[in-house]
Amino acid sequence: MLSLRSIEKSYPLAGGQLPVLKGIDLIIEQGEMVAIMGSSGSGKSTLLNVLGLLDNFDAGSYHLDDVDMSELSERQAARYRSRFLGFVFQSFNLIAFKSALENVALPLFYQKIPRRERQKRALAMLERMGIADRAHHLPSELSGGQKQRVAMARALITTPRVILADEPTGALDSVTSNEVMDVLREVNSTGITVIIVTHEADIAARCDRTIRLKDGRIIEDGNSSEVVEPTAHGISPIS
Amino acid sequence: MIFSRELWIEIGHTVIANPLRTALTGLSVGLGIFILVVMQGLGFGLQNGVQQDFGDEASNSLWIRTNRTTLPFRGRQANRSIELRNADKEILTEKLFETPLHSARRMLWGSTIQAENEEGRFAVVGVNEDYDQLESIPLVSGRWLHQEDVAQSAKVCVIGQTIVDDLFKKKNPIGEYIRLRNVTFRVIGTFSRSGSRWTNSMALIPITTLQRVFEGADQVGRVIVSTGDRTVEEASAMASMADGALRTRHAVHPDDQRAVRVEDNNEEFAMYQRIFMGIRLFIWVIGGFTLFAGAIGVANIMSIVVKERTVEIGVRKALGATSSSIVILIVVEAIALTSISGILGMIAGVLTLEFVAPFAEHDYFSNPAVNLNVTITALGVLVLSGALSGLAPALRAVRIRPIEALRYE
Ligand SMILES: Nc1ncnc2c1ncn2[C@@H]1O[C@H](COP(=O)(O)OP(=O)(O)OP(=O)(O)O)[C@@H](O)[C@H]1O
Ligand SMILES: [Mg+2]
């Protein structure tokens, strides 16, 4: 369970502070599939990064399974990222000089799992993503969809509790986007919490729950089918 | 952790995956070490050559010789012959000063030497038992002259390699009898000084034997005395003492440069020492600058590399890497890269010297050996600077929050 209480965060700005998160209260239960929506600059990525322990926050509290995340040392935070969290980025963030297989295996390196075992599990994960035949290709030799599958395989290889995806389909066409969503749904069906930041209503529609941010506040939180309703909230169809 | 195989695989991977960076680092370190090794080697060769040229004579000795006078003095005409005799040598070495080693050296040029079937003309040289040490001549076989040989005017000789080669061919000359100027001597030893045909054409016999058998007189030719462990100043004082005593004994004008000459090898040696110091200093300065340039090069590359890898660092952190694991990765990689390149540069330098040495053999240049201490120190400096210059930006990169690293442009 992820639990945020009155989370505030601002970025230092020339001549002051830019408040980005202005008191976020949010509880996400294990196994939920949640979309975070909102216009550009509303604080979606910032929120996701706080959830992913990639960024700190100024005030409020964040508990992951009743453990206070603000108390963690740098090393403990790394351990949480390694054991509990998986990331999928819009720009894939694959390591350019490592093959697909090595990229996928890398998180296991930080869990001190032996090389042979890493490779075996990485290959199995690529198989599950349907791109085992690309295992020895470099990221530059892969299509966007394939890259995102590698990235998802990498996020999933440690069987995390939570997958955090910041616009995972932002760089992909609609067919590929759908395939990525298929994977994420399937992942979610195994009990992994999936949190997706997205601009796209179709993507949000494939989640169970949608949270809408505006100016660093949650203005809506509910069943996707209700929240995403474009006409009711005037969401721009442009991503 | 540092020695885990996993880490090395990870490092090997990045090193191979970034050939340009690897090549650049390798070049700046390898070239630095290469230049250093070659410079050191050449400098050492120069020093070696000069030293060898000089080293024919022990560095701590006085060479005392006399000649005809050039100036009249105390009612005596110029052009008077001054001879050093047993009594002179005795006064010098037994009354005037303490000396651990001393020898006469009287040469009879163009002496016919006959062995069983061969004969040739060489130099017969009368010396004392210390002569080999004063001249540092290497013995090849048999033994040197002993004190008893000199005391008993024994008819024994120690012959140079040229004589051995000319008169004995492949035969072992030790124990054989040869005729020097028609007098039979037993060969007790042979010697050889590499590259010196002049020295190797000498047959050394006791000075006493030379005086009694060939001359029936008591001239000693030159007198060579060791200055022992005296300082340069003390040796110089010893030289003037000898000079003064001989001038008084033989009534030689104080300004007569030719009649009495005392050459002080200490001074000459000190001068060479200064030259060597100069050479060494030069090498150090050049080497220092080379190292400095190499270190700056490495530091530069490392800081660029770490900057370039900031996003990768962010990704690794998102995937669960601790800061220390990333710092170790970068630093060990830097160390591995610099040491491997350094060692390659060192090998290239050594090979170059090996290859060049035979072509560069010269009076003032020989055996350009590599100074391993200096090279390893230099390597250490470069590796350390590689490690430090990797460490600083790595620490900076891991201190920032993961998201900042991920967003880095
Ligand atoms: N590192 C930063 N320093 C300063 N300001 C920042 C920083 N990161 C984000 N911001 C600002 O914080 C606000 C929220 O940014 P955030 O990235 O969370 O928005 P977002 O909802 O993800 O937007 P988008 O849909 O464009 O990705 C924006 O106004 C942005 O300019
Ligand atoms: Mg964003």
Side-chain angles (χ1 to χ4, degrees), chain A residues 55 74-75 98 102 118, chain B residues 6 10 13 323-324 401:
Chain A
D55 208 346
E74 198 273 338
R75 182 171 279 275
K98 284 179 178 287
E102 289 156 345
R118 289 204 308 260
Chain B
E6 294 287 332
E10 186 69 16
H13 203 153
S323 295
S324 58
R401 285 164 290 142

Side-chain angles (χ1 to χ4, degrees), chain A:
Chain A
M1 187 184 76
L2 303 168
S3 154
L4 298 183
R5 188 157 307 167
S6 312
I7 291 289
E8 288 174 28
K9 177 170 178 66
S10 38
Y11 287 113
L13 202 69
Q17 299 272 311
L18 173 72
V20 176
L21 299 180
K22 302 171 183 171
I24 301 282
D25 291 297
L26 177 64
I27 289 179
I28 297 173
E29 299 290 347
Q30 185 61 41
E32 279 196 83
M33 179 136 179
V34 184
I36 301 176
M37 295 196 76
S39 55
S40 186
S42 57
K44 305 183 294 293
S45 296
T46 306
L47 176 58
L48 197 76
N49 294 333
V50 167
L51 287 170
L53 303 177
L54 296 178
D55 208 346
N56 53 12
F57 50 91
D58 303 333
S61 69
Y62 170 21
H63 287 80
L64 205 164
D65 291 343
D66 297 328
V67 180
D68 187 351
M69 292 292 117
S70 56
E71 304 274 282
L72 297 185
S73 68
E74 198 273 338
R75 182 171 279 275
Q76 288 168 321
R79 198 179 143 78
Y80 264 89
R81 288 193 291 265
S82 175
R83 304 276 160 174
F84 292 103
L85 306 173
F87 297 90
V88 179
F89 304 95
Q90 176 175 0
S91 53
F92 320 122
N93 277 334
L94 299 175
I95 294 178
F97 59 83
K98 284 179 178 287
S99 71
L101 187 75
E102 289 156 345
N103 264 287
V104 175
L106 189 57
L108 297 178
F109 174 71
Y110 292 113
Q111 293 191 351
K112 308 219 162 27
I113 289 175
R115 185 173 174 79
R116 215 168 270 286
E117 172 76 9
R118 289 204 308 260
Q119 305 245 343
K120 211 178 88 196
R121 279 164 66 177
L123 195 63
M125 191 53 77
L126 285 173
E127 238 152 52
R128 190 172 149 199
M129 294 293 141
I131 47 165
D133 57 327
R134 295 287 185 276
H136 299 290
H137 288 231
L138 290 176
S140 57
E141 297 162 348
L142 301 175
S143 72
Q146 288 169 334
K147 281 187 216 174
Q148 203 56 306
R149 280 165 189 272
V150 173
M152 286 190 293
R154 187 176 67 180
L156 288 168
I157 190 132
T158 54
T159 48
R161 301 271 291 277
V162 182
I163 291 280
L164 299 147
D166 196 345
E167 306 198 30
T169 60
L172 306 174
D173 62 43
S174 61
V175 174
T176 322
S177 296
N178 254 319
E179 288 168 8
V180 167
M181 285 312 290
D182 290 342
V183 172
L184 289 176
R185 277 240 66 112
E186 192 237 35
V187 165
N188 177 245
S189 72
T190 65
I192 296 175
T193 308
V194 174
I195 306 172
I196 303 172
V197 166
T198 184
H199 278 110
E200 297 162 70
D202 327 2
I203 300 297
R206 296 198 60 185
C207 298
D208 302 323
R209 174 182 171 191
T210 297
I211 294 163
R212 187 179 301 284
L213 286 187
K214 190 181 179 199
D215 268 348
R217 291 198 175 83
I218 297 179
I219 54 162
E220 262 183 297
D221 181 355
N223 210 307
S224 288
S225 54
E226 296 157 18
V227 177
V228 177
E229 189 53 58
T231 47
H233 305 284
I235 308 163
S236 145
I238 313 148
S239 54

Side-chain angles (χ1 to χ4, degrees), chain B residues 75-90:
Chain B
R76 293 172 218 218
Q77 294 292 307
N79 208 26
R80 178 170 51 97
S81 175
I82 307 287
E83 290 284 355
L84 284 176
R85 294 171 190 279
N86 287 345
D88 293 296
K89 180 166 179 282
E90 222 171 277

